[in-house]
């Protein structure tokens, strides 16, 4: 009996603490909830899907990409054959790019060698000929190239003039039917001059490319009769797209040549 009385007395002492803990446990969720601010929905009229009101804005980069993609045209050349031959237009543009590469190879060489003189064009009374068809080219020493014109001695003066007027910074000397060509030193100034010449060649190629595009567009416009304006417009866009692609190739060729020349 005494033990029971003691237990009840201890329980009565703990009762206040137990009550306080129980009150905190029961009321705390309500109190916390009362302190949480409820944000109003983005769109009061939409109760179930408030996120539907959020507007997504495209970045400038995404817009530019989408614009470029939408502008691309890919026409089957067979379907517009009666308007214009797109294959022939592509061949003409390819010829422009090939001519540029040929100009770079022939006229923009850092190291002068016998092979570098092969394609120098010599203008004679009988026409134009590559130097290697008129004379025998050989390397006398690392500093001297010899051109033997004994097979066509009458073309010696024309060959000398062609060598001097080339873009290779050559100063030939004539000894009878032998043309001596000292190999020039590769200076920084010479490299920079070659880069300027490369830009001139690339600009000339772009002019030729524009002429091909202009002629093609003119031809397409002449075929308006019997075709819809939308079809003609798509053909014109295709031609412009082809021209842009080849212009980009010209820029790549110029960048690569510039890097090669400047070293």
């Amino acid at each position: 009996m005494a033990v029971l009385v003691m237990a009840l007395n201890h329980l009565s002492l703990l009762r206040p603490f137990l009550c306080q803990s129980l009150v905190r446990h029961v009321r705390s969720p309500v109190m916390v909830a009362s302190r949480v601010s409820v944000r109003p929905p983005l769109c009061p009229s939409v109760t179930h899907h408030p996120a539907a009101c959020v507007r997504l804005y495209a970045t400038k980069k995404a817009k530019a990409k989408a614009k470029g993609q939408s502008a691309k045209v890919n026409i089957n050349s067979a379907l517009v054959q009666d308007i214009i031959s797109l294959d022939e237009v592509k061949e003409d543009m390819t010829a422009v790019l090939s001519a540029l590469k040929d100009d770079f190879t022939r006229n923009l060489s850092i190291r002068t060698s016998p092979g570098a003189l092969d394609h120098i064009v010599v203008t004679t009374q009988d026409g134009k000929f590559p130097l290697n068809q008129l004379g025998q080219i050989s390397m006398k020493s690392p500093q001297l190239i010899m051109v033997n014109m004994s097979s066509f001695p009458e073309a010696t003066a024309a060959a000398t003039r062609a060598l001097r007027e080339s873009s290779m910074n050559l100063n030939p000397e004539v000894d009878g039917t032998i043309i001596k060509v000292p190999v020039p030193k590769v200076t920084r100034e010479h490299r920079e001059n070659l880069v300027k010449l490369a830009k001139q060649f690339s600009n000339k190629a772009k002019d030729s490319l524009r002429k091909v595009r202009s002629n093609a567009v003119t031809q397409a416009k002449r075929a308006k009769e019997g075709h819809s304006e939308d079809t003609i417009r798509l053909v014109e866009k295709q031609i412009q797209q082809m021209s842009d692609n080849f212009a980009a190739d010209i820029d790549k060729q110029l960048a690569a040549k510039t890097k090669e020349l400047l070293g």
Side-chain angles (χ1 to χ4, degrees):
M1 187 68 179
V3 173
L4 181 58
V5 171
M6 291 178 64
L8 291 173
N9 288 337
H10 284 293
L11 184 60
S12 62
L13 292 174
L14 293 173
R15 183 177 179 182
F17 297 101
L18 291 174
C19 291
Q20 292 177 6
S21 176
L22 182 60
V23 169
R24 283 197 300 268
H25 180 72
V26 174
R27 295 183 60 188
S28 59
V30 178
M31 295 175 66
V32 170
S34 65
R35 286 195 289 268
V36 175
S37 60
V38 180
R39 296 177 63 184
L42 294 174
C43 219
S45 60
V46 181
T47 56
H48 298 290
H49 302 285
C53 297
V54 179
R55 182 177 179 182
L56 300 177
Y57 292 91
T59 62
K60 291 183 178 180
K61 185 176 181 180
K63 288 180 180 179
K65 184 178 180 180
K67 183 178 180 181
Q69 290 176 346
S70 62
K72 286 186 177 180
V73 181
N74 189 12
I75 299 177
N76 187 335
S77 58
L79 298 178
V80 294
Q81 190 68 32
D82 55 338
I83 299 176
I84 191 173
S85 175
L86 292 177
D87 291 337
E88 290 183 3
V89 174
K90 186 176 181 179
E91 288 177 3
D92 291 341
M93 292 184 177
T94 302
V96 171
L97 184 61
S98 298
L100 175 66
K101 293 179 180 179
D102 194 37
D103 283 335
F104 280 178
T105 301
R106 291 183 180 184
N107 302 297
L108 302 178
S109 177
I110 290 290
R111 301 292 177 185
T112 304
S113 63
L117 306 183
D118 286 348
H119 300 291
I120 289 182
V121 178
V122 181
T123 303
T124 68
Q125 293 180 350
D126 298 324
K128 295 182 178 180
F129 303 91
L131 180 62
N132 63 347
Q133 290 185 10
L134 300 176
Q136 183 180 359
I137 307 172
S138 61
M139 201 83 179
K140 184 69 173 178
S141 70
Q143 291 78 33
L144 183 64
I145 298 176
M146 306 286 284
V147 183
N148 189 337
M149 298 294 297
S150 57
S151 298
F152 296 92
E154 69 279 6
T156 302
T160 304
R161 183 169 56 254
L163 287 165
R164 185 174 290 111
E165 293 177 354
S166 72
S167 59
M168 300 177 68
N169 194 31
L170 303 177
N171 188 23
E173 301 173 0
V174 180
D175 184 7
T177 58
I178 300 296
I179 303 175
K180 299 179 180 179
V181 186
V183 177
K185 293 182 179 179
V186 183
T187 63
R188 185 67 182 180
E189 182 182 2
H190 179 51
R191 290 176 182 269
E192 291 174 352
N193 288 335
L194 291 178
V195 169
K196 292 178 182 178
L197 189 59
K199 291 180 180 178
Q200 293 177 12
F201 283 135
S202 63
N203 289 335
K204 179 182 176 182
K206 285 186 176 181
D207 289 339
S208 299
L209 188 64
R210 281 189 286 268
K211 289 179 181 178
V212 174
R213 182 205 62 200
S214 178
N215 291 337
V217 170
T218 300
Q219 182 179 345
K221 288 182 177 179
R222 288 174 182 170
K224 282 187 176 181
E225 186 176 352
H227 299 89
S228 67
E229 292 184 1
D230 289 340
T231 301
I232 300 299
R233 192 177 298 111
L234 285 175
V235 172
E236 291 177 7
K237 285 184 177 180
Q238 179 76 71
I239 295 170
Q240 181 63 54
Q241 184 174 292
M242 293 166 61
S243 178
D244 291 342
N245 291 339
F246 276 96
D249 287 339
I250 290 174
D251 289 336
K252 289 179 182 178
Q253 291 293 325
L254 175 61
K257 196 65 181 179
T258 300
K259 183 178 180 180
E260 174 192 331
L261 293 173
L262 292 179

